Amino acid sequence: MKKNIRYNVLLLLLVVEVALIPAFAQMAEVKPAQSISFEEYLNRVGKNNLSYLAEKLNVSIADAEVVARKIFPDPELEFEAGNETFSLGVSYSLELGNKRGARIKLARTQAELERLVLQQGFQDLRAEAADLFLDAILQRNLLEVQKSSYEYMYQLSQSDSLRYVSGEITENDVRQSKLEALTLLNAVYSQEAVYHSALIQLNKHMGMAADTLHVPLGNWEKLSRDFALSDLVEAGLNNRIDLLVAQKSTELTTGEYKLTKAERKPDIGVSVSYERDWKGFLPPARSTTAGVSIPLTFSNINKGAVKAAKFRIAQSEIMERDMELQIQAEIAQAWFYYEAEKKKVAQYRAGVLEDSQKVLNGMVYKYKRGETSILDVLVAQRTYNEVQQEYLETMKGYAASLVALEKACGIWDIRF
């Protein structure tokens, strides 16, 4: 009777096992994929990222504004007519104080500022793209861990099916191993979705559709850098684009101050007119007049605009000094975080990974000898998975901290 029950239970478990095999085979049925290196990925991001391409147009707009500021004032043509006479005149406004030159210089400074802002935006985009590339590597490795765990438990469940028939283990043990295999397979499906989502993000940053996914090449196992904090701070003060932006902003406010002062100078109007009557080709009555108009700029008594421009210069200088302090703080914080991540990686490599593998192998060995239960094996399996996942996440954090540190310093030497 017990033997028939065992065979019935085994038949039920085989049905579950048959369901596991094709399900696992379907995991390979994904969209077409191409491998891509880190260097090629960043190259495509720089050339095709739509947000970055839109930002580039700001530079073109600023260059066009420089050309627009080069225009001269337009002359005015005047015509008056009456019953007996008519007059024709031309007037022109002479700008004093080099207003045109001040406008051109200010527009050029604004164009230079836009170029710096674009460079800063590219540095931010590059760091963001690198972090997405790292995340794709992380999700790929986590998927491999999940697949490996599932295959390991699947093989164990097959072995338990045979051991149950021979009476070595209980029905509950074989059911437990099968259910654990199903649970791990569901985890594989979930992780596969997360991985594909990460690949789609890579495509988006490259300005590409999601019809063909790009699988990241490379790994972070050989990443190792040693930095001195003082050298990094010096490099940051020399290379950070946002500090150059702050300095250029001070130059821009100085140009606005000069333009404000220039615009307070009055413009002189010069006019020439010719007047004659309507009779004959050479009428006896004709005259030519010339004139100069000088505005009485009583409004210049109010120097509020000039004072405001001066205050903006002082404000820009203070913000520039604040940016220097902020850069130093960001570099120091990124360096301490990087050093902490490096120590965490060293701790895992010092034996944590090997110990978790040994504990799992030991539990499986005892289980096969009947010295422990399936629950102990499952606990060891889950502990091993957690250690593997935590190690991968730590490695990703270590690589991301390196990206953040080099970004904080305005340098770039990342290779995967």
Side-chain angles (χ1 to χ4, degrees):
M1 182 67 178
K2 290 183 179 179
K3 189 173 182 180
N4 291 335
I5 295 176
R6 284 178 183 164
Y7 277 113
N8 291 334
V9 172
L10 180 60
L11 180 61
L12 176 61
L13 295 175
L14 287 175
V15 172
V16 176
E17 184 175 326
V18 170
L20 290 175
I21 296 175
F24 183 65
Q26 289 175 2
M27 290 188 297
E29 298 178 7
V30 297
K31 292 184 177 182
Q34 296 179 356
S35 299
I36 187 170
S37 66
F38 182 64
E39 291 76 14
E40 177 62 21
Y41 167 65
L42 287 186
N43 183 49
R44 293 189 183 183
V45 169
K47 290 182 178 179
N48 303 320
N49 184 270
L50 298 181
S51 298
Y52 180 62
L53 293 178
E55 291 296 327
K56 276 186 174 181
L57 293 177
N58 288 334
V59 176
S60 300
I61 293 171
D63 289 337
E65 289 293 336
V66 174
V67 177
R69 295 296 182 271
K70 293 181 179 180
I71 62 172
F72 290 92
D74 294 324
E76 294 183 4
L77 181 64
E78 301 176 355
F79 178 79
E80 294 182 1
N83 293 330
E84 299 293 333
T85 62
F86 72 91
S87 65
L88 180 66
V90 177
S91 62
Y92 185 76
S93 179
L94 297 178
E95 292 185 325
L96 301 182
N98 194 26
K99 295 184 181 68
R100 177 174 175 271
R103 288 195 297 267
I104 294 174
K105 187 174 182 180
L106 182 62
R108 286 174 177 168
T109 303
Q110 183 65 47
E112 293 170 359
L113 179 61
E114 289 295 341
R115 287 185 175 85
L116 290 175
V117 171
L118 181 66
Q119 293 180 32
Q120 181 183 357
F122 176 72
Q123 287 188 350
D124 294 340
L125 174 64
R126 182 175 58 187
E128 181 183 353
D131 192 68
L132 289 175
F133 194 87
L134 289 172
D135 185 65
I137 294 178
L138 170 64
Q139 302 307 330
R140 181 191 65 193
N141 291 346
L142 288 176
L143 179 59
E144 293 301 322
V145 170
Q146 295 287 2
K147 285 183 178 180
S148 177
S149 297
Y150 165 73
E151 290 173 346
Y152 190 89
M153 186 55 62
Y154 175 70
Q155 296 297 329
L156 183 62
S157 66
Q158 286 186 316
S159 175
D160 283 352
S161 299
L162 299 177
R163 292 178 64 198
Y164 172 71
V165 174
S166 62
E168 297 180 19
I169 60 175
T170 66
E171 176 184 339
N172 186 66
D173 288 339
V174 69
R175 285 183 181 274
Q176 188 70 43
S177 62
K178 294 294 183 182
L179 291 175
E180 186 67 17
L182 279 172
T183 301
L184 290 175
L185 180 59
N186 288 335
V188 170
Y189 288 151
S190 298
Q191 183 58 39
E192 192 177 41
V194 174
Y195 173 52
H196 290 156
S197 178
L199 297 185
I200 291 173
Q201 285 295 319
L202 296 185
N203 276 28
K204 178 179 180 297
H205 265 63
M206 291 187 291
M208 303 177 64
D211 52 350
T212 299
L213 301 179
H214 290 79
V215 178
L217 293 176
N219 59 74
W220 47 48
E221 295 297 331
K222 295 183 179 180
L223 280 179
S224 180
R225 304 283 193 281
D226 292 317
F227 299 104
L229 182 56
S230 58
D231 294 338
L232 293 177
V233 171
E234 181 179 358
L237 294 177
N238 292 331
N239 299 320
R240 279 284 290 265
I241 299 297
D242 45 0
L243 180 57
L244 298 178
V245 169
Q247 294 170 350
K248 187 61 67 174
S249 296
T250 302
E251 183 179 339
L252 183 66
T253 55
T254 302
E256 291 174 345
Y257 169 72
K258 293 180 179 179
L259 179 59
T260 301
K261 289 186 65 178
E263 287 179 341
R264 292 171 63 84
K265 299 291 180 64
D267 296 338
I268 297 178
V270 180
S271 62
V272 176
S273 63
Y274 173 76
E275 182 176 347
R276 54 167 287 182
D277 60 24
W278 294 98
K279 299 176 181 179
F281 179 73
L282 295 174
R286 63 176 182 269
S287 64
T288 302
T289 60
V292 176
S293 62
I294 302 176
L296 301 177
T297 54
F298 296 110
S299 60
N300 284 349
I301 298 175
N302 187 340
K303 296 184 178 181
V306 176
K307 290 181 179 179
K310 280 186 176 181
F311 289 142
R312 280 192 285 269
I313 294 176
Q315 184 184 51
S316 297
E317 292 173 348
I318 294 174
M319 293 176 65
E320 182 180 339
R321 293 195 296 270
D322 181 65
M323 179 59 67
E324 292 179 357
L325 293 178
Q326 180 179 339
I327 288 174
Q328 295 178 32
E330 289 180 0
I331 292 174
Q333 291 172 339
W335 183 78
F336 284 118
Y337 181 75
Y338 171 74
E339 289 295 317
E341 293 297 315
K342 183 193 293 186
K343 293 175 183 177
K344 289 164 63 177
V345 170
Q347 183 178 357
Y348 276 100
R349 291 177 174 175
V352 175
L353 294 174
E354 291 79 0
D355 290 344
S356 63
Q357 182 69 64
K358 290 178 181 179
V359 170
L360 176 59
N361 293 339
M363 283 296 176
V364 172
Y365 177 75
K366 289 182 179 182
Y367 173 65
K368 290 182 177 180
R369 291 172 58 89
E371 299 176 5
T372 186
S373 67
I374 185 64
L375 295 179
D376 293 328
V377 175
L378 297 182
V379 170
Q381 174 72 45
R382 291 168 185 172
T383 301
Y384 173 76
N385 289 349
E386 290 175 359
V387 171
Q388 289 285 329
Q389 293 172 7
E390 290 173 0
Y391 168 70
L392 292 174
E393 290 170 356
T394 301
M395 281 300 303
K396 194 265 182 179
Y398 171 58
S401 68
L402 177 59
V403 172
L405 179 59
E406 295 202 355
K407 176 190 173 185
C409 299
I411 59 178
W412 191 260
D413 187 29
I414 304 296
R415 298 288 186 274
F416 297 118

